[in-house]
Amino acid sequence: EAGVAQSPRYKIIEKRQSVAFWCNPISGHATLYWYQQILGQGPKLLIQFQNNGVVDDSQLPKDRFSAERLKGVDSTLKIQPAKLEDSAVYLCASSSLAGGVHTEQFFGPGTRLTVL
Amino acid sequence: DAKTTQPNSMESNEEEPVHLPCNHSTISGTDYIHWYRQLPSQGPEYVIHGLTSNVNNRMASLAIAEDRKSSTLILHRATLRDAAVYYCILRAAPIQGAQKLVFGQGTRLTINP
């Protein structure tokens, strides 16, 4: 079974530029999550999708971050404009629903963003 | 979200058992105890979870205190590949939509050859 795919793996941009990350979850997984992991900290949930609808985006900085999952499969996370404090690893995860119960989350390798 | 407390770091030797503690004194009756680990330069991976009874799987064992205020992840025979940050996370009962994982700092486990 293929895992969660993310691209790019690394990205370096200047502050105030924009950047986009892509995630392809495990086939058949209805739930998709984006996490931000700052160096030395645990991952923090930014947004959770159930199919193509948003379940939780309470910690997404909506003035600069946006995410979409238009067809309920792939997802993109965008930052515009980027700030220095956005330097982090952005992790995508997915989980499936079995009888109304979510399985464990499967994480991708992450995209390491450096903002200069 | 109920909080967990873990030691910042632990060290063990290869081929020896490792006991990783987690305190969760404010756990509610419906909170499941989940463990994930994150190997260097990788995303977290699921290890094990439980509610009240001790649990075993191919990766580890989870021992849960009778009052559920603490738990211990047990790696029976550590290898160098077990060096990682281990996260103990409380998660509400698995109902649709209530699946947020709140990660703390975790325990950085070092395995000596």
Side-chain angles (χ1 to χ4, degrees):
Chain A
E1 178 182 80
V4 176
Q6 291 188 246
S7 68
R9 291 297 311 278
Y10 305 92
K11 189 75 177 177
I12 301 174
I13 61 173
E14 304 262 334
K15 61 183 178 184
R16 290 188 290 273
Q17 285 187 322
S18 61
V19 64
F21 313 124
W22 174 81
C23 172
N24 185 21
I26 292 173
S27 177
H29 280 194
T31 311
L32 185 146
Y33 316 78
W34 282 102
Y35 290 84
Q36 179 193 58
Q37 185 171 26
I38 292 171
L39 187 64
Q41 299 181 16
K44 181 183 81 172
L45 180 70
L46 292 176
I47 189 167
Q48 175 185 341
F49 291 95
Q50 183 71 28
N51 296 308
N52 60 351
V54 175
V55 174
D56 184 350
D57 64 356
S58 58
Q59 298 196 85
L60 186 74
K62 298 180 186 64
D63 57 334
R64 298 184 300 106
F65 286 64
S66 64
E68 60 183 15
R69 193 184 185 202
L70 292 175
K71 296 183 179 179
V73 181
D74 294 6
S75 177
T76 55
L77 176 69
K78 297 179 182 178
I79 308 175
Q80 183 178 15
K83 293 185 175 181
L84 296 176
E85 59 260 35
D86 298 331
S87 293
V89 175
Y90 291 85
L91 294 160
C92 180
S94 69
S95 65
S96 66
L97 267 175
V101 176
H102 285 267
T103 65
E104 69 267 28
Q105 293 183 22
F106 294 83
F107 285 78
T111 296
R112 181 177 298 278
L113 173 67
T114 302
V115 182
L116 303 175
Chain B
D1 299 304
K3 185 175 171 58
T4 63
T5 304
Q6 300 178 252
N8 288 333
S9 62
M10 290 185 65
E11 201 169 323
S12 185
N13 297 318
E14 201 174 8
E15 299 185 6
E16 290 185 356
V18 180
H19 290 234
L20 295 161
C22 180
N23 287 319
H24 28 78
S25 57
T26 60
I27 191 170
S28 76
T30 55
D31 283 340
Y32 282 72
I33 302 157
H34 287 250
W35 285 81
Y36 279 74
R37 72 179 185 181
Q38 188 169 21
L39 280 64
S41 300
Q42 295 188 28
E45 65 173 345
Y46 167 82
V47 178
I48 200 167
H49 78 279
L51 182 62
T52 56
S53 303
N54 294 344
V55 185
N56 300 297
N57 66 19
R58 63 174 181 81
M59 289 181 71
S61 295
L62 176 60
I64 301 172
E66 197 168 331
D67 64 3
R68 300 209 327 123
K69 294 188 176 184
S70 66
S71 59
T72 303
L73 180 71
I74 303 165
L75 307 179
H76 294 286
R77 196 162 168 267
T79 69
L80 295 178
R81 287 174 292 180
D82 291 321
V85 177
Y86 286 77
Y87 297 100
C88 171
I89 302 166
L90 300 183
R91 199 171 85 174
I95 59 174
Q96 192 165 354
Q99 297 304 299
K100 186 163 74 173
L101 292 177
V102 180
F103 289 82
Q105 298 281 84
T107 296
R108 182 172 298 278
L109 176 64
T110 301
I111 304 295
N112 300 313

